[in-house]
Amino acid sequence: MVCAADRRCAAESFTHADRVLDFNVLIYVLSGTIYVTEGDTDYAAEEGTLLFLEHGRRHFGKTECPAGTSWIFAHFYLDTPPLPDFAPDTTDIGVHEKLESRVPLPKAMHSLQGSELESALIHFAELAASGRDNKRFMLNLALADILAQAAFFTRTEPALSDRIAAYLDENINRPFSSKELEKKFFLSYKRLAAVFKKEKGVSMQAYHNERRLAAAAAKLRTSALPVGDIAE
C-alpha cells in the first residue's frame, strides 16, 4: 500500500536524513546521485538506478548529494505475516504444481534509462502529482506493476546507448539532428546525450561524425566516385 509518492529535485546539495522508518522506500534517480547508507552498506544511486530501502532499518547519509539531483520516490507497506503453504487445486492447476506466494525484489537495479520499467516509474510519479479522484487506488495498481516488473525484470532489448548508436548508423547519410533523436526516443536531448556519453565514452555528434568519416573512407577505397561527390 502506497502511503506517499512524489518526484523531487534538489535546489541545493543535501545529506540523506538519519532515520528508521516503518515503511519501505523506493527511490529511482533521474539525474545526479543519491548517497545513502542502510545498516552497514553504502549505496551511491546514480542516474538510472532503482533502489529499495527496507523498513525497520536505519538509513542515513554520509556524503552530500549534489544540487540538481532529481528522483522519484514511494513509501509503501507490504503485508509481512507468514502465509500458509499453498494447497494446489488438482483440477485447475495440476497435481504437483505449486504457486509461489512471494518473490524477492532486487536491492538495486542499474542503467534503466529508456526501459519499460523507467516509463512505468515516470508514469507513477505523474499519477502521484495528478488530481484524479481514484488516485490512491491507481497508485497502488501502478506500484504493484512496478514491483512485478522489478522482480521479474529481464533486459530483452538493447541498452539505450546501443539503440541510439544503431539509429545513427542507419541514418549515417542524414545530417545530425537533436530534434529527430528526441522524437525517436521520446526523451530530451540532454538526457540522451548524458546516457550515450556515459556508456559509450563519446558524444552522439562525435560518434555520428566518426561513422560518416569511416563510411566516406570506405567509399574512397571501393568506389570510382569523385572525392567531391563522396564528401557531399
Side-chain angles (χ1 to χ4, degrees):
M1 180 180 71
V2 178
C3 54
D6 203 353
R7 178 174 179 164
R8 297 281 173 83
C9 183
E12 300 177 351
S13 60
F14 67 98
T15 302
H16 193 281
D18 188 340
R19 59 193 184 183
V20 177
L21 303 172
D22 65 348
F23 46 76
N24 303 291
V25 181
L26 171 157
I27 298 172
Y28 181 66
V29 181
L30 296 165
S31 64
T33 306
I34 290 183
Y35 298 97
V36 60
T37 299
E38 181 181 71
D40 298 325
T41 305
D42 299 328
Y43 295 97
E46 299 179 330
E47 179 180 342
T49 295
L50 175 62
L51 178 66
F52 292 99
L53 300 177
E54 189 178 348
H55 70 94
R57 303 191 66 186
R58 182 190 176 200
H59 307 130
F60 60 99
K62 296 179 180 177
T63 304
E64 280 196 345
C65 307
T69 295
S70 62
W71 68 99
I72 294 167
F73 77 87
H75 298 165
F76 63 98
Y77 294 96
L78 292 175
D79 293 331
T80 56
L83 298 175
D85 288 339
F86 178 77
D89 181 334
T90 57
T91 302
D92 297 331
I93 299 173
V95 176
H96 301 295
E97 187 174 355
K98 180 177 180 180
L99 295 185
E100 295 293 335
S101 58
R102 295 168 184 250
V103 291
L105 286 171
K107 187 63 183 173
M109 303 173 69
H110 307 282
S111 301
L112 295 177
Q113 299 98 320
S115 67
E116 290 185 9
L117 182 50
E118 183 189 56
S119 297
L121 286 157
I122 292 172
H123 170 70
F124 177 81
E126 292 171 347
L127 183 60
S130 73
R132 295 181 59 163
D133 293 337
N134 60 346
K135 180 169 72 173
R136 184 175 293 275
F137 175 75
M138 297 302 296
L139 277 174
N140 282 306
L141 286 181
L143 178 64
D145 176 59
I146 288 168
L147 297 181
Q149 286 195 50
F152 299 104
F153 183 81
T154 54
R155 192 176 292 282
T156 56
E157 58 184 16
L160 178 59
S161 62
D162 291 333
R163 288 187 285 135
I164 295 171
Y167 174 80
L168 293 174
D169 289 343
E170 291 169 3
N171 294 276
I172 200 168
N173 294 321
R174 298 176 60 186
F176 183 87
S177 171
S178 59
K179 296 296 183 183
E180 289 298 322
L181 285 163
E182 289 180 332
K183 290 180 181 178
K184 172 67 177 178
F185 296 100
F186 303 101
L187 292 169
S188 71
Y189 180 76
K190 182 179 179 181
R191 185 81 180 277
L192 293 169
V195 171
F196 194 89
K197 182 66 178 291
K198 180 179 179 181
E199 297 183 1
K200 296 294 187 184
V202 65
S203 70
M204 291 187 290
Q205 190 153 12
Y207 176 89
H208 184 253
N209 291 340
E210 289 174 4
R211 301 297 288 175
R212 283 173 65 90
L213 286 172
K219 282 185 179 180
L220 283 172
R221 292 193 303 270
T222 61
S223 170
L225 289 173
V227 173
D229 292 347
I230 293 174
E232 293 176 0

